[in-house]
Amino acid sequence: MPFDPPPSSPLSLSTREAADRRAIARWLLVVAGMVWIMIALGGATRLTGSGLSIMEWAPLSGTLPPLSHAEWQRLYDLYRTIPQYELVNRGFGLEGFQRIFWLEWTHRLWGRLIGLAFLLPLVWFWVRGRIPAGLKGRLVLLFLLGGAQGAVGWFMVASGFEADRTTVSPYRLVVHLGLALLLYAMLIWTAMSLRHPHRDAPPAAAPLRRLAHPVAGLVVLAMLAGGFVAGLRAGLDYNTFPLMDGRLVPAGYAMLSPFWQNFTTNVAAVQFNHRLLATLAGIGALALAAWGARALPAGRARTALLALGGTVALQYALGVATLLLVVPAWLGTLHQAVAVAVLTAALASLHALRRPRPAGP
């Protein structure tokens, strides 16, 4: 796997080296947990329309909230210049602005805290010489990706200030979400590889491995398709299941030309594609779980596959409920948070099923 740290035999590690690997793994898992919360906060910010409430990107000075009435009024006056205020929130007053401001401010503050939670331990491990050989470049890359995520987040938010827009660009939203998922996946995979450097999948895992990779791919595609559903607010239409306006495939699926535009800008097609990818991922995950329960002995691989099946089933049920209830903010946020649990289970399954390395000479 591309995210594997340099291989080390568990038998060749000293007590100190093994302790260092465990400590770094715990640290990365804590940061990954913070990224998970950040993704959920991002969902809540989007669903409540809070993401455009702060019209300045101030990485340092923006750490503090407004501390005076004059500062609150200045920020509110800025917000009143964008289309979202004129078309959605006109006249909701300073109190209404403060309600949406606090969620976006918390979202941004949490991102800054993630940066500190990564940087300070990184410096400490580095200075004390406790980073395993070959891992420094990986950790620096993770830090840079986190910083890039902040810039991409502002790039996304800025698209919501354009004329006639009341939300951000769906394309930029999906890029922002995709980078967050990539960062999370790299943190989790690196931590798992530090905790479990040896590849101990049982022989029966070989055929399961061939199915696990496409299922994991479907999980990721379904999540990115969900980003387009969110960006277009496509969940507010076709609020029936399993049919859409009484049809399996909605009548307007291919209404745009050229055809490829339907995949990203046509509400009917975007929602149908998300349903289809989620269904295929669900069928594959449940098949993997049932197969693993029957073919694998008790252990990490079997547990991971069962967790994948369980989290996918939960996520599918949440998705249907979110659709039928016309996307209440709390349920939409929960749906986004559980999506990360599905990704975690998929990563754990792939990691536990890794092909053993060839024996050395």
Side-chain angles (χ1 to χ4, degrees):
M1 281 290 175
F3 296 158
D4 277 337
S8 297
S9 169
L11 298 178
S12 66
L13 294 177
S14 68
T15 303
R16 170 66 183 273
E17 290 170 331
D20 289 345
R21 293 172 73 95
R22 289 193 300 270
I24 292 176
R26 286 193 295 268
W27 159 52
L28 294 179
L29 288 173
V30 168
V31 176
M34 295 180 72
V35 173
W36 189 337
I37 294 172
M38 185 70 166
I39 293 171
L41 279 173
T45 300
R46 173 184 54 78
L47 288 162
T48 57
S50 304
L52 301 181
S53 59
I54 303 179
M55 295 185 57
E56 297 174 325
W57 189 38
L60 296 179
S61 61
T63 303
L64 294 176
L67 300 177
S68 67
H69 178 77
E71 181 64 7
W72 275 114
Q73 190 63 49
R74 184 185 73 83
L75 294 175
Y76 180 41
D77 290 342
L78 276 176
Y79 178 69
R80 289 194 295 173
T81 64
I82 66 173
Q84 187 189 70
Y85 174 80
E86 288 292 331
L87 300 176
V88 179
N89 290 325
R90 183 175 179 81
F92 76 161
L94 183 58
E95 184 178 345
F97 171 71
Q98 288 173 330
R99 283 196 299 270
I100 64 173
F101 174 92
W102 281 117
L103 186 54
E104 173 64 7
W105 179 82
T106 301
H107 181 58
R108 296 191 187 193
L109 176 65
W110 193 254
R112 293 180 174 96
L113 293 176
I114 292 174
L116 287 176
F118 193 92
L119 179 60
L120 296 181
L122 173 62
V123 171
W124 187 86
F125 282 118
W126 197 304
V127 169
R128 294 181 61 96
R130 297 190 59 182
I131 299 178
L135 193 59
K136 289 181 178 179
R138 168 73 56 83
L139 297 178
V140 171
L141 175 61
L142 286 169
F143 179 72
L144 294 177
L145 281 176
Q149 178 68 334
V152 170
W154 175 249
F155 178 67
M156 176 192 70
V157 168
S159 68
F161 305 150
E162 298 170 0
D164 300 323
R165 271 198 175 278
T166 60
T167 59
V168 300
S169 161
Y171 296 101
R172 298 189 191 185
L173 186 150
V174 171
V175 171
H176 189 49
L177 173 64
L179 184 55
L181 297 176
L182 174 63
L183 178 61
Y184 178 83
M186 290 184 67
L187 287 164
I188 289 291
W189 191 273
T190 303
M192 288 191 298
S193 296
L194 290 169
R195 289 174 62 89
H196 304 282
H198 51 297
R199 302 188 179 197
D200 54 358
L208 287 162
R209 189 182 304 120
R210 288 192 288 271
L211 177 60
H213 283 88
V215 168
L218 285 169
V219 164
V220 173
L221 288 175
M223 294 177 72
L224 295 178
F228 281 109
V229 170
L232 294 176
R233 297 183 178 268
L236 301 179
D237 294 301
Y238 302 101
N239 299 105
T240 57
F241 187 85
L243 302 181
M244 300 175 66
D245 264 358
R247 298 166 58 105
L248 185 62
V249 180
Y253 183 89
M255 63 184 293
L256 299 182
S257 180
F259 179 74
W260 64 265
Q261 288 189 353
N262 291 285
F263 295 124
T264 57
T265 56
N266 177 353
V267 167
V270 164
Q271 192 189 123
F272 176 81
N273 291 342
H274 183 50
R275 292 185 184 205
L276 177 62
L277 289 167
T279 300
L280 293 175
I283 292 172
L286 291 174
L288 262 176
W291 189 0
R294 188 174 62 252
L296 295 177
R300 197 160 65 94
R302 188 174 187 268
T303 300
L305 291 178
L306 291 175
L308 178 60
T311 54
V312 164
L314 173 61
Q315 176 69 341
Y316 200 91
L318 287 173
V320 173
T322 302
L323 180 70
L324 296 180
L325 296 175
V326 198
V327 199
W330 70 270
L331 191 53
T333 301
L334 182 61
H335 185 51
Q336 183 154 321
V338 175
V340 183
V342 174
L343 177 61
T344 306
L347 291 168
S349 298
L350 292 177
H351 197 273
L353 294 172
R354 288 177 302 169
R355 181 179 288 106
R357 290 191 178 94

